[in-house]
Amino acid sequence: QVQLVESGGRLVQAGGSLRLSCAASGRTLSSFFMGWFRQAPGKEREFVAAINKNGGSPIYADSVKGLFTISRDNAKNTVYLQMNSLTVEDTAVYYCAASLTYFGINKDRYTYWGQGTQVTVSS
């Protein structure tokens, strides 16, 4: 079992940057494939990015490719999401998720979830 806590979300102006963090406890993070998802009001939770256990092979949603970067520091038990050139369409609650066995874009295949952190981008 692992507990996940996201942080770093806040109000930011369009064009700005944010770095989200996801801190894990209870079990070493290196055991897990990790993903970031987001959910805007009235919309389904959608995939943003994922990274494999050793930090390689990141994958991204087309909407954030080239703008967002997922990374991890297993020594610090933390996963990050660097978000650049933010737009109002990026406004959402951002969640990190973990899976022992699955690496991909399907949210239903991730077992553990954080409580989310709110990102609001103003125009």
Side-chain angles (χ1 to χ4, degrees), residues 3-103:
Q3 292 77 46
L4 304 172
V5 178
E6 303 93 337
S7 62
R10 62 175 175 87
L11 174 65
V12 62
Q13 285 194 325
S17 298
L18 278 178
R19 188 177 80 157
L20 305 183
S21 299
C22 172
S25 61
R27 189 165 175 174
T28 180
L29 192 67
S30 59
S31 300
F32 297 90
F33 299 105
M34 298 297 297
W36 283 98
F37 293 78
R38 66 186 181 185
Q39 188 166 18
K43 294 189 176 181
E44 293 277 324
R45 191 170 301 189
E46 65 175 4
F47 169 77
V48 175
I51 193 166
N52 71 9
K53 295 182 182 182
N54 64 11
S57 304
I59 56 175
Y60 299 95
D62 287 343
S63 58
V64 306
K65 205 170 291 183
L67 300 173
F68 290 10
T69 303
I70 187 171
S71 62
R72 66 192 296 162
D73 186 338
N74 286 338
K76 294 183 177 179
N77 260 13
T78 303
V79 177
Y80 304 98
L81 184 69
Q82 176 67 43
M83 307 187 294
N84 297 328
S85 301
L86 287 161
T87 71
V88 294
E89 287 73 31
D90 296 314
T91 295
V93 178
Y94 283 72
Y95 299 89
C96 67
S99 172
L100 286 168
T101 58
Y102 176 73
F103 174 59

